[in-house]
Amino acid sequence: ELTPLAAEYIEYYSNLLIDYPFKNEKYGHAQIDGTSSMEHQTMCSMAHTTAEVLIHELSHQWFGDYITCGSWQDVWLNEGFATFFHVTFNGREGKYQGINQWSTSQWAARLEPEGSIFVKDITDSNNIFNSFLTYNKGACILYMLMGLLGEETFYKGLNKYLTDSRVKYGFATTEYFRENMEAVADTSLIEFFNDWIYGEGFPIYNIKCYKKGKHLDFELTQ
């Protein structure tokens, strides 16, 4: 019953990003026993047939199978992106289920303040596939980047990244992604990436509100 959702997703992101990369072949699902689903080019192995899992694995056709992370250190380019897109798809125009999912991702990203999205120790698979950092914080940082650049510029940057001859149908690093986003935004993102991709921790905001007659004054500190 989720097949129509897969078709809707492919159409939506083919218009937003680039065409489904394997449109001349197919897209299908292989139902498997077990607890973990897995993306494969044109045929994802599905242990669960929920909408969230379907969209997450399908997102990997663009981010993971069409462009693959160049090393395990850059695995957020696969998993952070797939998490970002399965949440934003639920929050597309006229549908607001994504709001609660963003709250969940932000909550999860704060559970491990020590450790960076860029995986410094790849000798342990738990570091590589860390749900708090690689998946949820990776998605949250993309959302922050979209807020910094604006939605239009953000998606132009993604399209440039997806059509970069150095990485399409090949391998990418965080630096390739940064360079493409910088080229479209016409600004340096070195500090942003140093803080949020290579660095650790998360922003903490304090908000105070003061009532003055019929007016409210807010004081925001980070």
Side-chain angles (χ1 to χ4, degrees), residues 131-144:
S131 64
F132 304 115
L133 297 173
T134 302
Y135 291 72
N136 287 291
K137 187 176 180 182
C140 288
I141 297 310
L142 287 171
Y143 195 71
M144 286 173 60

Side-chain angles (χ1 to χ4, degrees), residues 105-141:
S105 288
Q106 291 168 10
W107 169 80
R110 293 194 298 269
L111 293 181
E112 270 193 38
E114 297 181 2
S116 63
I117 295 175
F118 185 79
V119 185
K120 295 174 182 176
D121 178 11
I122 58 174
T123 62
D124 186 343
S125 63
N126 291 323
N127 295 333
I128 297 171
F129 297 103
N130 184 310
S131 64
F132 304 115
L133 297 173
T134 302
Y135 291 72
N136 287 291
K137 187 176 180 182
C140 288
I141 297 310

Side-chain angles (χ1 to χ4, degrees), residues 27-40:
Y27 180 71
H29 296 135
Q31 191 169 350
I32 61 171
D33 291 328
T35 59
S36 297
S37 299
M38 179 66 188
E39 72 276 5
H40 304 286

Side-chain angles (χ1 to χ4, degrees), residues 12 42 47 84 143 183 205 216:
Y12 184 78
T42 75
F84 173 86
Y143 195 71
Y205 300 98
L216 291 175

Side-chain angles (χ1 to χ4, degrees), residues 203-221:
I204 299 173
Y205 300 98
N206 291 303
I207 302 175
K208 295 181 180 180
C209 177
Y210 306 95
K211 185 177 180 181
K212 295 182 178 180
K214 295 182 179 180
H215 300 282
L216 291 175
D217 288 342
F218 292 92
E219 180 182 298
L220 173 64
T221 57

Side-chain angles (χ1 to χ4, degrees), residues 65-97:
D65 293 324
Y66 166 67
I67 295 178
T68 305
C69 60
S71 75
W72 288 124
Q73 291 185 306
D74 298 290
V75 69
W76 81 281
L77 295 174
N78 291 17
E79 301 300 347
F81 276 66
T83 304
F84 173 86
F85 279 104
H86 88 238
V87 174
T88 53
F89 183 72
N90 285 333
R92 65 198 185 282
E93 184 179 356
K95 299 186 179 182
Y96 299 100
Q97 303 98 307

